[in-house]
Structures are given as structure tokens and as C-alpha cells.
Amino acid sequence: MRSDTETPRAAARITRVALQALIDALIARGYAVIGPTVRDGAIVYDQLSTTAELPAGWTDEQAPGRYRLQRRDDDALFGFAVGPHSWKRYLHPPMETLWTARSSADGFDFSAAPSPTEKYAFLGVRACELQAIAIQDRVFQHDRFRDTAYAARRDNALIVAVHCAQPASTCFCSSMQSGPKARGAFDLALTELLDAERHDFLVEVGSPAGAELLDSLAAAEATRADLDAADAVIAQAERRMGRTIDSSVFRERLRDRAEHPRWTEVADRCLSCGNCTMVCPTCFCTTVEDHTDLSGAQAERVRKWDSCFTMEFSYIHGGSVRQSTGARYRQWMTHKLSSWVDQFGSSGCVGCGRCIAWCPVGIDIAAEATAICADTPPTPGATP
Amino acid sequence: MTPRPRLAVWKFASCDGCQLSLLDCEDELLSLADAIEIANFPEASSAISAGPYDLSLVEGSITTAHDAERIREVRRQSKFLVTIGACATAGGIQALRNFADINDFVAAVYASPQYIQTLATSTPISAHVAVDFELRGCPINKLQLLEVITAYLAGRKPAIAAHSVCIECKQRGTVCVAVQGTPCLGPVTHAGCGAICPAYRRGCYGCYGPMETPNTAALAALLKSQGASERELLHAFRSFNAGAEAFAAQSRKHEPAAGGESP
Ligand code: SF4
Ligand code: SF4
Ligand code: SF4
Ligand code: SF4
């Protein structure tokens, strides 16, 4: 069993070359290894089989509404911040069949979708992403409401975390207490140790499965110097964090400032395109669609990612509850930063910055929340 | 066996591309013919049986006085009327005439303009008769057409989303081209194509017309910050769906007379 609280016991060191042995060991154990790779001008997640597919020597330049790949002046494999994809794509896929039905003599025969059999090993999971996975675990595996397909994929998954070395200008994980040091439930955690003399990885073990994997690799025991070097990597990441915000006031003030004029102001800029919710690693909302075939003999229900920015999302008899863009933006931000705490016991934001970089018009949740929650209360304004 | 519902397909001012989507449903064509009687589809068969029809698919916009009459008759003959494509739903590319003087076009194109009888505007079907469902796209997506027909047969609402192309783009896992500097109309465009263009690293051209809540002004500001000229902005909003209200209104803001630079 993995443990959230224990500090990893063993630490070892492997070379960059041995990282291939880790991938091989995962594949040999039946895992599909999913990790970062360069595609379409970005660092995305995809299935990998060799370290040659990792983004060696690449990094990213991110800003509100902007993402560009950049060359590094070294060969770091994990020298970048989170990109357009998150592990949500795999654990909570964008489209999933829930059931199918066939018409029969006395009505319908229903069959549940087969339980997922995918066995994923995620390579390069960042601290904020571990936290995001933990948040989705609470959403989907909450005792009474267990999403069995999610639970099956999650139980089968193995996590190789990588402590962050290079936050983007959009990152604020330290303000959300989720990074840059990976603290959640990982099987193994790597720190990339790269300088003129060497290219190694410090490996921490977080579970028996991780320990078993490490045993199969040519690992050396970590020295004091290795541990210090790894700490230094995380410390410098902390210092280079893109932004720092005071998130402690969000819960109360967002709840109390539903009439803040800023909501309408954001709505002038917001496209209500839904990109922010799609890229957010914790947003979980879905819609269901029913499909029938031409003969009417077969039906299926599919579930698709949805967003609180669509009109259909809040549609009840007579129309959509949230008519204005301001009301929809308010729903998104207030859910993430305030009502999520009431619902699931933590903030719904891990500070990954994806919604900032991947918003086409660069609306910045950290800046907006900070403005709405400023110490001086707002002057009364228009209600969205 | 209960009689099958009767289908008719009608053409007004259009290129035939949307009707062809129906013929393009090769794998489903036989089951389609089992489920519905194709009673009137001149593009596919010269055997035409008289109305009334249960389901009419209407392609094309209204550009002549004769067609304005004919669509009324089609409506009278149809229990359920679905417009297919940008022409029938928004007036099509031919709605560019709505922003100019039709006589100038006619004089420029035809050697003997006196024989041409046409209206000054190209208008969608809904400007003339009541429409039960509008399927968007230039051309429409055949899978969406099948969805509309199967939903009609099952008596349920078609699963056709009216949100942005971006949501499909993200479901597909495409890396956003807008954020990488390529102009894209996806955020204001109605979903339905499956976000094809961004998957090939191009911006969306807006084939499906405005989405449910299009903030065209905010998108125009973004395109401008990415380097688009007033003329390019005018053209971006004035193409296959030029006649759709949200796009028409935004394009007018980029006309030279409205302060946009001259073409
Ligand atoms: S905040 Fe940005 S990404 Fe989110 S809906 Fe508005 S424009 Fe789209
Ligand atoms: S709200 Fe934005 S910054 Fe926070 S977790 Fe979601 S995508 Fe990341
Ligand atoms: S912010 Fe919106 S899309 Fe995201 S989880 Fe909350 S309601 Fe759902
Ligand atoms: S590429 Fe275009 S359609 Fe896709 S998410 Fe970006 S803006 Fe939207």
C-alpha cells in the first residue's frame, strides 16, 4: 500500500542510461508507459518506449495566453513545467461509454461497459499533478459515490514522480501548498541531477511496487552529496516560482463577493470557450449523450468532458441558470477556490497555471482572484 | 411492418456538398433506407414520390423570389424540417451580397444581366418559414447528420453541442494553436467538425458559424494583438457564415467606413 504521510525511506541513485532500464522494467511488467514528449510545438504526454522520446534539451516559455517551446543549454530530460496535457486524460478520459443496450422481446438488455484493463505507468508526474490526482481521487472515489472505471484505472496505475526543477512564469504551486516538491502518493520519485560532471537521478521509493522496481535496476546508494544536490534542485525551483499569491483569503471572500464588479469586467474579455476547465487537472465535470442506431435496436450512453462555461451545463427546464459569461466565470473560479473546500475539504486549484497559459485571451485566475479578494472590499457593482 | 417515415431532401442556393454528405454515409446507407423511405431525393434518384413528408432536409439559402415561394410549399409538405449547412442556416458564402449592391455583382459576372432575376440578399431558411432543427457546418459533418436522423427516428433530442470548437479540440488532445500564435476562430465557433483544422496545426475558419455565446469582440481584440489587420478581421468574420448575426455584426465593425483601414 502506498502511504501519503510517511517520508520515503530509501534513496538511491541511477544514471541517465539506467532510466531506459526503468522504462523497460515497466513495460516488462505490462505497463503502458506514458510520459512527456515533444509534439506540435509543445511538451505533451504520450505513450513512450525509449528515453530518446523524452524532451531532452527542451523547455517551455509560458505566459498568460502564451506557450512556446525553447531550447535549453543542457540536455535535461525534465527541464520544463507542465504543458497542455494532464494525467486526467488517462484516468478520466475525455470520452467514455457507460453502457450499451439492445432491444429485446420484453424491453431492453443493458450491459455495463467492460471494466477498464489499461495499466498505465505515468513517468514525470509533477508535485502539483500528484495533488491534482489526489483531488480527483476524492471526487471519483468518495466512499458512497465510487466511479468504478476511474477506480480501476487508478488502482492499476503506477506513478513515477519527478520533482520540479523549472517552474514556468504561470506556476504558483507553492502558494497552493502543492509543490514544487512531490509529496503525494508516488511509487518512485526522481530528482534530475545534472551538472558538468554527471547526469543522474536521485530515486526515492514511495511504495513496495516502487521498491521492487528499484531493486531491478542498477542503482547505487545515494550519498549525502546526492541528497544535498536534490534538495538544492527543489530549493532553487521554489525560489524561481512564477508567482506568489495569498490563497488563504479566497474561500471566504469569493463566497462573500458574488456581486463584485470585476466579474462583469472579466466577462468582457472571457470567450466562454471552456479551455480553462478542459486543461485544469482537477476539473471533472461531464455530460452524458445517448445515442441510438438507425434501427432503434441498439443504444449507448457516452460520457464526455463538459465545462461550466457551456449553456447546456446549467440548463434546467426553461433555460440555463447561468446566462451571463460573468456568472459562468464566477462559477468556475468560485468552485475552484472556494466552494471546493466545502465540498471536498481542499482547494480545487493546485497552482499548475495551465488555465492561465492555455486561455486564448490570457485570463489569469491568480490575478483575478487576487483582485476580487483584495483587502479593500469592492464598491457595489453590476450583478452578472 | 409499420410504414417507414418518409424523407425528402431539398436544394436551394447551395453547392450540393451537404446533400452529398448523406450519400457519403456509405456504410449506413442500407440501414438508413431500411429505417426511412427516401421518397424525394433528386440528387440520388429520379424516382420521386409526392408529399407530404415526415422529415425534410433543406440545403441552401433563399436568393430568388421563386425560391422564397418554393420554401413555403416545402414547409407545407413537411412535418419536421431540418436545415443542413451554412447556406440554409446562415445564408452561406452567397450572403456576402448582403453587404454590397447585388447589381454590381450581377453586372460584373453576367454578360446579359437583364436576364438575371435575384433578390438583393441571401437569407437562411429560418427567415422565411419555421425550422425545427438547424444543423450547422460548411459542409455538415455526416456523423452529425446521421445523429439528427436517428434522433428524429427515436423521438429524442439530437446530441449536437452548441459550445465552442475549443471543447472538441481539447477532448481530442490537440495542442492549442492560438496560444502558440496562430489566429483561430475556434473560441467563437460552434462545435461539430471535431476540431479538424487545429488537429492539422491550422486555425479554425469558423465553418460552423457562431457558437451559443460568441464573444466576437474579445476574439477580434486577440486576433488584432496577434497582428491581424482590419481587413483580415473583416474577412475572418465574413466568410461561409457571413450572414449569421454575431459574425455579421462583428465584421461590420471592421469595414473601412467603421474606422477599419481601407482594403
Ligand atoms: S477564462 Fe479564458 S479559457 Fe476560460 S472560458 Fe474564459 S476565455 Fe476561455
Ligand atoms: S485552476 Fe488553473 S492553476 Fe488551478 S489547478 Fe486548475 S488549471 Fe491549474
Ligand atoms: S470549475 Fe466548472 S467544470 Fe470545473 S469542476 Fe467546477 S463546475 Fe466543473
Ligand atoms: S486551437 Fe483554436 S479551437 Fe483549438 S482550443 Fe485553441 S483556440 Fe480553441
Side-chain angles (χ1 to χ4, degrees):
Chain A
M1 255 338 273
R2 291 191 201 112
S3 146
D4 285 14
T5 45
E6 271 169 56
T7 34
R9 295 161 302 271
R13 186 185 67 231
I14 60 170
T15 62
R16 183 201 188 286
V17 177
L19 198 60
Q20 181 62 50
L22 173 62
I23 294 177
D24 294 341
L26 289 165
I27 294 172
R29 283 161 182 73
Y31 288 103
V33 179
I34 314 292
T37 191
V38 170
R39 191 177 74 218
D40 294 336
I43 296 165
V44 299
Y45 295 148
D46 211 339
Q47 190 163 348
L48 311 175
S49 54
T50 70
T51 52
E53 295 161 278
L54 292 168
W58 287 104
T59 189
D60 44 56
E61 181 233 313
Q62 303 192 41
R66 184 181 162 90
Y67 181 101
R68 297 288 188 282
L69 265 186
Q70 302 279 348
R71 269 278 168 210
R72 293 177 61 87
D73 49 22
D74 61 22
D75 283 331
L77 297 177
F78 296 96
F80 53 87
V82 293
H85 289 169
S86 74
W87 311 102
K88 168 170 103 168
R89 281 205 84 65
Y90 296 93
L91 293 173
H92 173 46
M95 184 158 35
E96 186 164 25
T97 301
L98 298 181
W99 50 254
T100 53
R102 278 207 138 271
S103 69
S104 61
D106 53 354
F108 272 103
D109 288 338
F110 286 90
S111 5
S115 181
T117 51
E118 301 94 319
K119 237 181 114 178
Y120 294 124
F122 298 141
L123 173 62
V125 179
R126 300 312 175 105
C128 61
E129 301 185 297
L130 276 177
Q131 175 69 11
I133 293 171
I135 288 174
Q136 289 215 326
D137 285 351
R138 279 200 285 281
V139 172
F140 289 118
Q141 311 200 79
H142 188 274
D143 44 9
R144 272 190 307 147
F145 309 104
R146 201 171 150 81
D147 185 303
T148 51
Y150 178 91
R153 283 186 291 260
R154 185 70 181 87
D155 287 348
N156 286 342
L158 187 135
I159 291 178
V160 180
V162 171
H163 297 297
C164 241
Q166 177 135 2
S169 83
T170 40
C171 289
F172 56 105
C173 60
S174 49
S175 303
M176 303 311 290
Q177 295 79 48
S178 72
K181 185 174 171 59
R183 285 203 174 80
F186 53 74
D187 295 284
L188 291 175
L190 310 179
T191 315
E192 189 161 21
L193 304 174
L194 173 62
D195 58 33
E197 270 85 55
R198 62 155 166 185
H199 196 171
D200 295 331
F201 290 89
L202 183 85
V203 189
E204 293 158 74
V205 171
S207 76
E212 187 270 323
L213 267 169
L214 183 62
D215 281 347
S216 74
L217 306 177
E221 198 173 322
T223 61
R224 188 70 250 164
D226 294 332
L227 294 170
D228 290 346
D231 287 347
V233 166
I234 295 162
Q236 63 81 34
E238 183 84 53
R239 279 195 305 276
R240 288 161 62 190
M241 195 55 52
R243 52 190 69 204
T244 310
I245 54 170
D246 176 12
S247 60
S248 66
V249 295
F250 293 162
R251 181 186 188 187
E252 201 178 314
R253 291 190 183 169
L254 286 174
R255 185 189 61 207
D256 295 344
R257 295 184 183 179
E259 312 297 331
H260 199 292
R262 185 92 182 194
W263 298 119
T264 342
E265 213 181 291
V266 183
D268 289 341
R269 287 175 277 141
C270 175
L271 302 160
S272 64
C273 61
N275 274 307
C276 46
T277 57
M278 297 282 123
V279 293
C280 179
T282 69
C283 269
F284 54 81
C285 285
T286 52
T287 183
V288 289
E289 283 181 3
D290 290 342
H291 296 285
T292 43
D293 71 348
L294 281 161
S295 67
Q298 280 240 70
E300 63 166 4
R301 174 163 291 181
V302 296
R303 183 168 82 173
K304 283 179 162 179
W305 283 358
D306 198 8
S307 163
C308 50
F309 281 93
T310 72
M311 291 298 271
E312 194 79 355
F313 185 89
S314 68
Y315 185 91
I316 54 170
H317 175 76
S320 296
V321 174
R322 298 189 195 100
Q323 291 284 333
S324 70
T325 300
R328 295 199 291 280
Y329 186 84
R330 183 176 60 194
Q331 157 63 26
W332 136 256
M333 192 208 280
T334 311
H335 189 209
K336 289 273 101 164
L337 301 176
S338 174
S339 54
W340 203 293
V341 186
D342 308 321
Q343 204 180 358
F344 300 112
S346 76
S347 171
C349 174
V350 298
C352 72
R354 284 186 180 87
C355 59
I356 303 172
W358 299 97
C359 167
V361 290
I363 293 174
D364 180 332
I365 189 174
E368 295 303 330
T370 302
I372 290 167
C373 298
D375 282 338
T376 25
T379 41
T383 309
Chain B
M1 190 177 154
T2 47
R4 292 166 299 165
R6 310 183 73 232
L7 172 80
V9 184
W10 308 94
K11 176 183 161 63
F12 289 83
S14 58
C15 77
D16 286 18
C18 290
Q19 298 187 51
L20 287 174
S21 307
L22 187 57
L23 290 178
D24 199 26
C25 299
E26 289 161 4
D27 297 338
E28 299 85 1
L29 220 47
L30 284 177
S31 18
L32 183 69
D34 281 342
I36 203 160
E37 178 194 343
I38 301 174
N40 182 348
F41 187 9
E43 183 93 12
S45 159
S46 52
I48 290 172
S49 64
Y53 307 99
D54 295 291
L55 174 62
S56 274
L57 303 178
V58 179
E59 176 195 270
S61 68
I62 304 300
T63 55
T64 65
H66 174 249
D67 276 356
E69 259 324 298
R70 192 160 63 94
I71 187 62
R72 287 176 197 287
E73 183 52 27
V74 168
R75 178 71 265 193
R76 270 194 288 275
Q77 298 274 342
S78 314
K79 278 194 202 149
F80 198 83
L81 189 152
V82 174
T83 62
I84 54 170
C87 300
T89 303
I93 188 78
Q94 57 275 27
L96 287 177
R97 68 168 66 178
N98 303 4
F99 303 89
D101 186 343
I102 186 64
N103 295 317
D104 294 347
F105 285 130
V106 171
V109 173
Y110 296 100
S112 310
Q114 67 274 23
Y115 296 117
I116 302 298
Q117 284 186 340
T118 187
L119 296 171
T121 54
S122 168
T123 41
I125 301 304
S126 63
H128 300 266
V129 297
V131 171
D132 298 300
F133 191 83
E134 296 187 311
L135 185 61
R136 286 151 204 277
C138 185
I140 54 168
N141 173 343
K142 68 172 186 177
L143 297 175
Q144 287 208 316
L145 179 61
L146 279 170
E147 167 60 17
V148 169
I149 297 174
T150 48
Y152 167 78
L153 292 169
R156 62 176 172 84
K157 191 180 160 203
I160 305 281
H163 55 56
S164 66
V165 172
C166 301
I167 288 184
E168 291 187 310
C169 198
K170 284 288 183 288
Q171 287 170 342
R172 190 170 177 154
T174 300
V175 177
C176 176
V177 300
V179 164
Q180 295 173 311
T182 301
C184 182
L185 289 183
V188 297
T189 301
H190 195 290
C193 65
I196 297 172
C197 291
Y200 293 92
R201 312 293 296 143
R202 319 259 325 230
C204 164
Y205 293 92
C207 307
Y208 280 61
M211 50 85 97
E212 54 191 5
T213 53
N215 189 346
T216 52
L219 189 77
L222 168 66
L223 298 178
K224 200 167 176 154
S225 75
Q226 291 175 325
S229 65
E230 285 297 314
R231 183 164 188 259
E232 285 164 336
L233 287 170
L234 174 76
H235 290 168
F237 289 103
R238 199 171 279 179
S239 63
F240 327 101
N241 288 282
E245 210 179 297
F247 285 5
Q250 189 61 42
S251 75
R252 282 204 178 88
K253 293 186 194 159
H254 304 288
E255 280 175 352
E261 62 205 48
S262 58

